[in-house]
Amino acid sequence: MNTRLDRLRKAMQNAELDAVLLSSLTSIRYLSNFTSDECFVLVTKNRNLLITDFRYTIQAGEQSGDRFEIIEAAGSKQLETVRDALSKEQVERLGFEEDCVSYAQYGSLSDLGPKLIPFAKELHSLRVLKTPDEIASLQKAQALADRSFTELLTVIHSGMTEKRVAAELEYIGAKLGSEGPSFDTIVGSGPNGAMCHAVPGERKLQKGDLVVLDFGCIFNGYHSDMTRTFAVGEVDTFSKEIYDIVKTAQRKALDALRPGITGKQLDAIARDYIREQGYGECFGHSLGHGFGLLIHEAPRASANCDTVLEPGMTITVEPGIYIEGKLGVRIEDCCAVTEDGKQNFCTSTKELQYID
Ligand code: ZN
Ligand code: ZN
């Protein structure tokens, strides 16, 4: 029995679909283990087809096991193969991933015949509750990130550019076994830290800087996500005060993270504390997000997420304070919700770390 395919068929039934056509790397990987999107996956009531070209047929067979019929077809022949299968199975309502199909592709899909039904939301919700093997992969991904961070602090120093810091970090991660960065590494030094998603640039780390470092590693396709803010040499009292406020806000939210709390309530715990300290305006993003095969997945810890957190969901906890022209501080851990609370995948200390 394949749970993921069974759950997909159940979702298809609920949406009264005769078939689903998958075209995103994430959905294809989730359901078939195939690690390429140079294909279409068609799941009908009775068949699981993986249609790919000559370059990938061996890989597709090995990765998907015996659950999928592998059909070789190149280029435009792939959609012809889909069309034949749809007509053989008398498909009238076809689910598709409306969030990853271009306008041109939509035109081609519309010509297939069946009525197209948007199905991306249902596909996303299949992945919300992580299985123990997914949790294990996430834990390994984060372990790589924690080790990378520890090693990074021993090799970087003032005078290095933000770009170099990002390169060193990604190199260390790759050496340790990460399949790649989870997303473009964020390095924001000194005043650049006020840009939540600072792109590493030519600015050199200087004594007195706080540096925001947001990054992740990938293991088995699963993405980790952590942020630490560290100091270059001695920093002023104000920087330390801001750091402590963010650290306390994060701890409060982490302490409250358990099944039954909503994303909105979790967000409010950190946000209210930061507001009470007088920096409400300086925390302009939401508290966190789920993560897995994608770096951003459902649920959200945000003011407009009423989702009740359940065991098996993942969520980051990442409050921040950003002061234009001066500094930024963010601290982020990535966690899974468990029966009795949470499993925090991050082990790196949150005591302010100093480099020379
Ligand atoms: Zn992050
Ligand atoms: Zn994040």
Side-chain angles (χ1 to χ4, degrees):
M1 186 176 94
N2 183 278
T3 330
R4 293 179 183 183
L5 277 167
D6 290 344
R7 285 171 54 215
L8 174 69
R9 285 214 164 79
K10 186 106 183 94
M12 283 165 56
Q13 223 173 23
N14 292 342
E16 297 176 349
L17 299 181
D18 305 308
V20 171
L21 185 65
L22 304 174
S23 50
S24 77
L25 183 59
T26 311
S27 297
I28 288 166
R29 181 166 194 167
Y30 185 70
L31 286 157
S32 71
N33 286 334
F34 183 44
T35 53
S36 169
D37 57 0
E38 299 278 337
C39 72
F40 284 106
V41 162
L42 179 68
V43 177
T44 69
K45 285 174 181 164
N46 307 302
R47 299 177 75 190
N48 309 318
L49 304 181
L50 197 162
I51 303 150
T52 189
D53 69 62
F54 177 78
R55 296 170 297 168
Y56 295 102
T57 47
I58 297 173
Q59 182 190 336
E62 283 177 356
Q63 292 181 324
S64 67
D66 53 5
R67 293 162 297 159
F68 283 79
E69 300 170 45
I70 311 296
I71 299 177
E72 185 187 326
S76 58
K77 291 269 191 314
Q78 291 190 349
L79 273 184
E80 281 173 34
T81 309
V82 170
R83 186 199 310 275
D84 289 347
L86 292 173
S87 112
K88 255 186 220 151
E89 301 274 314
Q90 298 179 328
V91 170
E92 289 177 10
R93 287 168 57 84
L94 175 66
F96 79 110
E97 297 186 86
E98 75 277 13
D99 59 348
C100 65
V101 165
S102 71
Y103 187 69
Q105 287 163 336
Y106 182 74
S108 309
L109 296 186
S110 302
D111 290 340
L112 287 172
K115 184 174 168 52
L116 293 177
I117 312 290
F119 198 55
K121 224 167 129 186
E122 287 82 351
L123 286 166
H124 288 300
S125 64
L126 284 183
R127 303 205 313 270
V128 166
L129 297 181
K130 270 66 179 177
T131 55
D133 61 311
E134 292 182 286
I135 296 285
S137 294
L138 288 167
Q139 188 173 10
K140 282 200 176 147
Q142 179 52 41
L144 293 173
D146 280 311
R147 284 173 62 196
S148 302
F149 180 63
T150 305
E151 196 175 323
L152 179 78
L153 291 185
T154 67
V155 299
I156 59 172
H157 48 76
S158 58
M160 240 181 207
T161 64
E162 295 170 340
K163 261 187 184 167
R164 175 73 186 267
V165 172
E168 293 287 348
L169 179 66
E170 291 173 13
Y171 177 54
I172 294 168
K175 280 192 293 181
L176 291 173
S178 172
E179 289 155 26
S182 286
F183 50 89
D184 290 342
T185 300
I186 295 169
V187 184
S189 67
N192 288 348
M195 294 181 277
C196 315
H197 278 191
V199 177
E202 298 298 336
R203 188 181 184 280
K204 291 176 175 162
L205 309 195
Q206 293 168 21
K207 302 264 179 182
D209 280 352
L210 285 180
V211 183
V212 179
L213 184 70
D214 189 348
F215 68 102
C217 291
I218 305 179
F219 185 84
N220 271 345
Y222 286 84
H223 298 62
S224 73
D225 190 3
M226 78 181 274
T227 307
R228 288 294 182 270
T229 300
F230 60 87
V232 185
E234 201 42 55
V235 293
D236 60 22
T237 316
F238 178 68
S239 301
K240 287 182 195 164
E241 275 170 18
I242 298 296
Y243 187 87
D244 283 339
I245 293 169
V246 174
K247 191 172 85 165
T248 304
Q250 204 231 12
R251 183 182 49 72
K252 282 176 179 285
L254 283 172
D255 287 349
L257 178 52
R258 64 176 65 87
I261 193 166
T262 64
K264 191 176 179 169
Q265 287 167 335
L266 192 65
D267 178 272
I269 289 168
R271 195 169 304 284
D272 289 350
Y273 178 75
I274 289 175
R275 190 183 298 122
E276 285 161 19
Q277 302 304 308
Y279 294 98
E281 298 295 306
C282 305
F283 176 26
H285 58 75
S286 51
L287 182 69
H289 54 86
F291 54 95
L293 283 174
L294 288 178
I295 187 60
H296 292 130
E297 298 196 350
R300 303 280 154 159
S302 73
N304 46 23
C305 179
D306 290 316
T307 304
V308 177
L309 300 187
E310 292 175 45
M313 288 181 177
T314 55
I315 197 84
T316 66
V317 177
E318 49 180 304
I321 293 181
Y322 310 93
I323 301 173
E324 198 179 339
K326 284 190 181 164
L327 58 78
V329 173
R330 179 165 67 256
I331 303 174
E332 173 180 25
D333 286 351
C334 55
C335 307
V337 182
T338 60
E339 293 292 338
D340 54 0
K342 60 163 186 309
Q343 176 183 5
N344 189 339
F345 297 125
C346 295
T347 55
S348 294
T349 181
K350 277 166 260 182
E351 291 307 312
L352 184 58
Q353 298 295 295
Y354 294 84
I355 61 160
D356 287 329

